[in-house]
Amino acid sequence: MSTFKEMQYGPLGKAVEAAMPHSEADPIGVYAATLSLWSAAVAGKVFQPSGRPTLFWSALVGRSRVGRKGFALGTARAILDPSIGGFLSTRMRKGISSGPSLVTTLFEVEQESLTSEDGRDGRVMIAEGEWASVLKRANRDATYHDQLINAWDGEAVVNTTKGKGGKREEQRIDVPLLGYHVHIQPGRWAPLVKPEFALGGAFNRIPHFLVSQSKSLPSNIKKPLDAVKETPALTKAYRWAREKVREMELSPEAAKMHDAYRLEFDDRCAALPENVSCFIERGDENLLRIACLLTAAERKTVIPVRAWKAAHAMIEYSMACTEKLINEAQSGTGRQMKSVEQIIRESLQRFGGEASRTLILRALGTRGNAASLTAAVEKMPDVVMERKGSGAKGGAPTFVLRLVDPEKNGQEQGEREHQEEPEERPKLAVVPAQRERPAPRKRAASTGPKRPATKKAPAKKTALVRQKEETPKNPMADLL
């Protein structure tokens, strides 16, 4: 992948290089953040050759603490604060996670500027240190990503609200001037960067950069960024850019290179799977936006080949970072659960190559049961499951799983299949053994004289019956 030296160019590149001795951040992360802040500062004045905006959005992807993402943004602010006046202190926003709130923010800033001496100025810079929290809420609002797309494209954004008395009022910004810079951890990227929004183009407008800590500064330096000095060339460039509209153009040599790159880039996107290409499809335009911004920092309107090459190195690095994030998310690095087969194999290795089915099921937890375990083992050439005797006291039989050599196991299986058996019997379900009762024996027919039938003894009379028989009959009973 490209290095910072390959993408460094002009006053912006020199300013980042001069600030790095005082920063622990990744120089590429500082460079990306600086370009995003710079693009927001000159928004509405510097345009591409096509007339589209030159806003450059960026996302720094790095682990907590060791990524030094916040340090990168702080370094970028230290570089630009002295040069672009109070823009960052008055126009920075965060915590916006819905389409209506995004439009309302842009609308309110623009309305407040109408009373200023400089007139209408709707520039806003969104910097989200916790992009994951924003995405978690924004993914529930389909309009958020749509409004971001419109703002990046330079199209009007509109929101309808209820005013006093229930009257509907329209908030409309015809030319949104929105800067965007965010931070996120790699582990939270895949679950929150939803494929449906990526396919709609929400994320290919935000180049991603994997970042990590560049160094550790001595602890006795309390505020290292205070040592970052103003870059006079950037101060002059900011004034130059804000004087009037600057329409950028490619030099003839740079134009040839860009046309060739676009053809090659189209072929690359067509060859990639859609779930990958949807993240980088705006790579050629993002390249041109970077080249425009680097050239404007030189106070020029014609983009030279060197500026184009620096922008090319930067956007190629970003696309390589994005592809790495996608591949890691798909392969399960650090995020996705292991397959049932992986758990079985690793568990057997941990138990010395052999373990009971009970132990393996315990290792699988909620991932499997006896049936799924059997199905998985049948697909694994290096694992066999054998039955060892019957369970104690007529219970279930014991099964053992073993790691085997796939080739040797295949040969043994083939030999077993070719062995001739005297009789193929159907497999029966294993049931606890039960003792059968002997059939009752039949008596042999007697040839002698039959015995006389024995008379049954009369049943004994109870005391109550005897009492009734001995009681004299009442003579009045017949009269009654």
Side-chain angles (χ1 to χ4, degrees):
M1 289 196 292
S2 306
T3 63
F4 171 66
K5 286 293 182 183
E6 294 177 274
M7 43 184 100
Q8 180 186 358
Y9 179 83
L12 283 170
K14 291 178 180 178
V16 171
E17 183 181 34
M20 285 313 300
H22 315 291
S23 176
E24 295 185 352
D26 191 311
I28 295 178
V30 176
Y31 201 34
T34 303
L35 274 165
S36 291
L37 298 178
W38 173 251
S39 75
V42 300
K45 295 293 185 179
V46 179
F47 292 91
Q48 298 180 55
S50 61
R52 286 168 66 83
T54 54
L55 289 161
F56 175 73
W57 296 356
S58 57
L60 303 187
V61 186
R63 292 169 55 194
S64 296
R65 185 175 175 79
V66 296
R68 290 296 194 267
K69 304 180 291 293
F71 218 132
L73 178 59
T75 306
R77 289 199 60 171
I79 291 169
L80 290 176
D81 261 332
S83 299
I84 61 180
F87 170 74
L88 294 177
S89 60
T90 58
R91 300 300 178 94
M92 293 273 282
R93 299 290 187 274
K94 64 179 181 178
I96 300 171
S97 58
S98 71
S101 63
L102 178 64
V103 177
T104 298
T105 300
L106 291 169
F107 182 78
E108 289 177 349
V109 169
E110 187 176 88
Q111 292 299 306
E112 290 171 2
S113 69
L114 296 178
T115 58
S116 66
E117 294 181 0
D118 297 329
R120 186 186 297 272
D121 184 0
R123 292 176 296 164
V124 173
M125 179 67 214
I126 293 179
E128 298 289 357
E130 293 294 336
W131 195 31
S133 300
V134 171
L135 285 178
K136 193 176 292 186
R137 299 190 300 271
N139 286 340
R140 296 192 290 265
D141 176 17
T143 64
Y144 176 79
H145 297 286
D146 292 339
Q147 299 292 22
L148 279 182
I149 290 171
N150 290 336
W152 189 87
D153 291 344
E155 301 292 337
V157 293
V158 183
N159 181 42
T160 303
T161 63
K162 285 186 179 181
K164 295 181 180 179
K167 184 179 179 181
R168 299 178 71 83
E169 297 179 355
E170 185 182 74
Q171 296 176 335
R172 182 183 180 89
I173 301 93
D174 291 315
V175 184
L177 306 176
L178 179 65
Y180 201 77
H181 176 78
V182 293
H183 303 162
I184 194 170
Q185 297 90 351
R188 304 190 73 183
W189 185 85
L192 293 171
V193 178
K194 299 293 184 181
E196 58 265 32
F197 297 123
L199 290 169
F203 297 112
N204 55 37
R205 290 163 169 82
I206 311 174
H208 290 56
F209 299 89
L210 290 167
V211 294
S212 59
Q213 182 179 2
S214 61
K215 69 179 78 66
S216 292
L217 296 174
S219 301
N220 59 356
I221 303 177
K222 294 183 178 179
K223 296 181 179 180
L225 294 179
D226 286 351
V228 178
K229 304 298 182 182
E230 178 184 359
T231 305
L234 289 178
T235 304
K236 294 177 182 178
Y238 179 66
R239 293 172 183 168
W240 173 86
R242 297 300 300 171
E243 283 176 356
K244 63 178 183 178
V245 171
R246 308 288 181 175
E247 295 180 354
M248 311 299 290
E249 61 178 306
L250 289 159
S251 68
E253 297 82 1
K256 289 180 182 178
M257 296 183 73
H258 192 64
D259 289 341
Y261 177 78
R262 288 184 64 195
L263 292 174
E264 181 269 331
F265 185 71
D266 289 342
D267 291 340
R268 190 196 310 183
C269 288
L272 285 171
E274 190 178 14
N275 64 334
V276 177
S277 64
C278 66
F279 282 94
I280 64 172
E281 287 168 345
R282 297 296 186 281
D284 56 339
E285 184 171 347
N286 272 315
L287 187 161
L288 189 55
R289 291 187 181 210
I290 296 170
C292 289
L293 293 168
L294 292 175
T295 304
E298 292 186 298
R299 290 177 287 161
K300 297 177 181 178
T301 57
V302 179
I303 302 168
V305 170
R306 285 185 59 244
W308 186 92
K309 286 184 176 180
H312 173 263
M314 187 169 192
I315 205 62
E316 285 292 319
Y317 178 86
S318 168
M319 290 191 294
C321 291
T322 304
E323 287 189 41
K324 185 177 181 181
L325 284 168
I326 296 169
N327 291 335
E328 288 182 352
Q330 291 177 346
S331 64
T333 302
R335 290 298 306 170
Q336 293 183 358
M337 300 175 73
K338 296 178 181 178
S339 67
V340 171
E341 290 80 4
Q342 284 178 306
I343 297 173
I344 294 171
R345 193 172 288 111
E346 291 176 4
S347 299
L348 287 172
Q349 290 171 350
R350 190 167 63 251
F351 291 123
E354 180 174 319
S356 67
R357 183 173 65 176
T358 302
L359 286 175
I360 302 301
L361 286 172
R362 196 173 297 165
L364 288 172
T366 58
R367 298 291 309 282
N369 51 30
S372 63
L373 175 60
T374 303
V377 170
E378 289 176 353
K379 300 176 183 177
M380 300 173 68
D382 58 339
V383 177
V384 296
M385 183 162 58
E386 298 174 344
R387 172 177 169 173
K388 286 196 173 181
S390 59
K393 297 182 180 180
T398 301
F399 288 93
V400 173
L401 281 75
R402 287 191 300 108
L403 285 172
V404 297
D405 182 8
E407 294 184 1
K408 186 177 179 181
N409 184 46
Q411 292 174 358
E412 292 176 354
Q413 186 176 358
E415 291 173 1
R416 286 196 299 269
E417 289 175 353
H418 287 84
Q419 286 178 353
E420 293 183 0
E421 296 183 0
E423 182 180 357
E424 187 174 354
R425 298 178 181 178
K427 294 182 180 180
L428 300 177
V430 179
V431 296
Q434 294 182 356
R435 186 176 296 173
E436 295 183 357
R437 289 185 177 182
R441 290 189 299 176
K442 295 182 179 180
R443 268 184 200 175
S446 177
T447 56
K450 294 184 178 180
R451 294 182 181 180
T454 306
K455 293 183 178 180
K456 293 184 178 179
K460 293 183 179 180
K461 297 180 179 180
T462 63
L464 180 61
V465 173
R466 287 197 303 271
Q467 184 180 359
K468 287 183 178 180
E469 290 178 352
E470 294 173 359
T471 302
K473 189 175 181 181
N474 186 358
M476 294 297 294
D478 295 334
L479 297 175
L480 295 173

